[in-house]
């Protein structure tokens, strides 16, 4: 799962959590008001200022904000980064409503810290800072409103100073969390790259860079499965360098290595993106022509054959060639039977004089 998908799920769950919290808090506020009214602590009236200003007004505003945030998060034309900001700023707006209307120390502190903690989860340093500034503004507006109402005494002065202190400490804590999250993500990505490189090393032949014997059997199994499930045609070519032992005996292993490298380069050159080339073992190679019929695969193999036979070497002027057998999978054979079929065609090409390609048609021999 990528970051975009992860954040999408996070936003959906958090939007639902906000909606649930608003519903629960609204229910508690309404029930509390009616209980107090029945107990005689306040008048039970739909025109009561406390009910209108402290209960119904924040409920209405918060529901409106929540609905707007959820609607924006469902919009397909808005980027996922913008959606991250919307949900954080939506939480900040809800915190603003709660803080300005209730003006309680514990409520205000919790309401203003929460959006900063949320912003840190998105690993966005700028978003954390913007949320911090908005939270400071929220507390400042609360202080101004309280001053205008004449409700600031010594205790409130101390509480507001403490709230500013909590916000500043919260900002640095969220910034530190975001920083270490970024470092952790970079570490995970580096480990993923290292693991991918290690996996690729295990799948490849160290000398030629082609896929190795183990990978060949994995890919052949996958190609057969793709044929059986989707009807995806493919061909298998088995290749063997002619008289390679003589090259090693006459020119040494350095000469033999040069021949192997040349052939590997040619196979990679003519393989199309969906094809795969392998060093099956020693001087024997294989090519899977994926999503191709025999009519599409054979010309590519012929180009490989022709190019290899014209290759020049630093240690000799002699021409070095290969023999090959190529078979098209028809869905009626097991993996072992199909492999043996391609391998038998290779050895028939060797027995028939080398430097040729043999296909399923017994008379079709290309020299």
């Amino acid at each position: 799962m990528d970051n975009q998908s992860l954040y999408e799920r996070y936003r959906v769950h958090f939007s639902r959590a906000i909606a649930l919290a608003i519903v629960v808090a609204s229910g508690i506020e309404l029930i509390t008001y009616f209980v107090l009214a029945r107990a005689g602590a306040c008048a039970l009236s739909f025109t009561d200022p406390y009910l209108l200003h402290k209960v119904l007004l924040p409920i209405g505003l918060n529901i409106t904000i929540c609905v707007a945030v959820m609607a924006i998060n469902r919009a397909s034309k808005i980027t996922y980064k913008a959606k991250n900001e919307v949900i954080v700023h939506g939480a900040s707006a809800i915190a603003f409503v709660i803080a300005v209307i209730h003006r309680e120390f514990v409520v205000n502190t919790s309401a203003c810290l929460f959006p900063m903690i949320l912003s840190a989860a998105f690993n966005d340093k700028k978003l954390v800072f913007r949320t911090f500034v908005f939270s400071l503004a929220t507390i400042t507006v609360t202080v101004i409103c309280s001053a205008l109402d004449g409700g600031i005494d010594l205790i409130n002065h101390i509480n507001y100073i403490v709230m500013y202190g909590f916000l500043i400490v919260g900002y640095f804590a969220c910034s530190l969390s975001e920083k270490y999250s970024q470092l952790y993500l970079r570490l995970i990505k580096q480990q993923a790259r290292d693991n991918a490189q290690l996996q690729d090393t295990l799948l490849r032949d160290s000398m030629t860079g082609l896929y190795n014997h183990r990978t060949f059997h994995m890919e052949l199994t996958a190609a057969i499965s793709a044929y059986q499930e989707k009807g995806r045609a493919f061909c298998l070519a088995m290749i063997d360098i002619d008289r390679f032992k003589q090259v090693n005996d006459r020119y040494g292993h350095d000469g033999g290595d040069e021949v192997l490298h040349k052939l590997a380069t040619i196979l990679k050159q003519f393989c199309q993106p969906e094809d795969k080339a392998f060093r099956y073992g020693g001087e024997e190679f294989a090519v899977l022509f994926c999503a191709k019929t025999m009519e599409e695969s054979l010309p590519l193999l012929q180009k490989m054959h022709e190019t290899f036979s014209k290759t020049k070497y630093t240690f000799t002027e002699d021409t070095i060639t290969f023999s090959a057998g190529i078979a098209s999978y028809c869905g009626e054979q097991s993996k072992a039977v199909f492999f043996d079929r391609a391998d038998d065609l290779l050895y028939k090409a060797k027995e028939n004089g080398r430097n040729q390609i043999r296909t399923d048609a017994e008379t079709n021999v290309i020299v």
Side-chain angles (χ1 to χ4, degrees), residues 166-326:
F166 273 132
L167 286 182
I168 294 171
V169 172
Y171 168 69
F172 284 112
C174 290
S175 297
L176 189 63
S177 173
E178 183 274 335
K179 178 181 178 180
Y180 277 97
S181 294
Q182 291 287 355
L183 292 174
Y184 184 63
L185 285 174
R186 284 198 288 271
L187 177 62
I188 291 175
K189 289 178 180 178
Q190 183 59 49
Q191 289 176 337
R193 286 193 293 268
D194 292 343
N195 289 337
Q197 291 175 356
L198 176 60
Q199 182 68 18
D200 190 66
T201 299
L202 294 174
L203 296 177
R204 292 186 182 274
D205 171 60
S206 59
M207 176 181 289
T208 63
L210 299 180
Y211 291 111
N212 58 25
H213 179 277
R214 175 172 173 265
T215 312
F216 167 78
H217 285 286
M218 292 168 53
E219 293 294 338
L220 180 56
T221 300
I224 292 174
S225 296
Y227 180 94
Q228 293 171 342
E229 294 173 7
K230 303 176 183 178
R232 190 169 180 254
F234 74 95
C235 294
L236 169 63
M238 298 300 298
I239 299 169
D240 190 85
I241 300 173
D242 296 328
R243 299 184 175 88
F244 185 73
K245 185 177 184 302
Q246 294 181 14
V247 174
N248 271 332
D249 292 342
R250 184 178 299 178
Y251 305 108
H253 289 289
D254 288 342
D257 291 348
E258 184 177 339
V259 174
L260 295 174
H261 281 292
K262 293 284 188 181
L263 178 54
T265 300
I266 291 168
L267 297 184
K268 286 186 281 189
Q269 176 186 349
F270 290 102
C271 274
Q272 296 183 353
E274 64 272 16
D275 303 330
K276 292 181 174 63
F278 310 83
R279 185 185 180 193
Y280 190 75
E283 70 272 23
E284 193 169 3
F285 294 76
V287 178
L288 274 175
F289 295 102
C290 298
K292 291 180 178 66
T293 62
M294 179 64 74
E295 290 73 19
E296 296 168 316
S297 304
L298 185 56
L300 293 173
L301 183 58
Q302 287 177 296
K303 289 178 182 178
M304 295 172 182
H305 181 265
E306 180 181 359
T307 304
F308 183 67
S309 65
K310 294 179 180 179
T311 298
K312 303 299 181 182
Y313 301 93
T314 59
F315 59 88
T316 182
E317 295 295 328
D318 293 344
T319 297
I320 301 175
T321 61
F322 70 67
S323 301
I326 181 169

Side-chain angles (χ1 to χ4, degrees), residues 91-104:
S92 295
I94 292 173
F96 179 86
V97 171
I98 294 172
V100 171
I101 291 178
H102 288 283
R103 303 178 204 168
E104 296 291 337

Side-chain angles (χ1 to χ4, degrees), residues 64-75:
T64 302
I65 294 170
C66 184
V67 170
V69 168
M70 295 179 73
I72 292 172
N73 274 319
R74 290 195 181 97

Side-chain angles (χ1 to χ4, degrees), residues 50-123:
Y50 182 85
L51 176 64
L52 292 175
H53 299 150
K54 298 291 186 179
V55 180
L56 296 181
L57 178 60
I59 289 175
L61 291 174
N62 287 338
I63 289 176
T64 302
I65 294 170
C66 184
V67 170
V69 168
M70 295 179 73
I72 292 172
N73 274 319
R74 290 195 181 97
S76 59
K77 295 183 179 180
I78 300 177
T79 64
Y80 84 96
K81 187 174 182 180
K83 290 181 179 181
N84 293 345
E85 295 187 3
V86 166
I87 196 163
V88 172
H89 294 321
S92 295
I94 292 173
F96 179 86
V97 171
I98 294 172
V100 171
I101 291 178
H102 288 283
R103 303 178 204 168
E104 296 291 337
F105 170 67
V106 175
V107 174
N108 288 12
T109 303
S110 302
C112 292
L113 281 175
F114 180 69
M116 281 199 299
I117 296 172
L118 172 63
S119 64
F122 288 109
N123 291 321

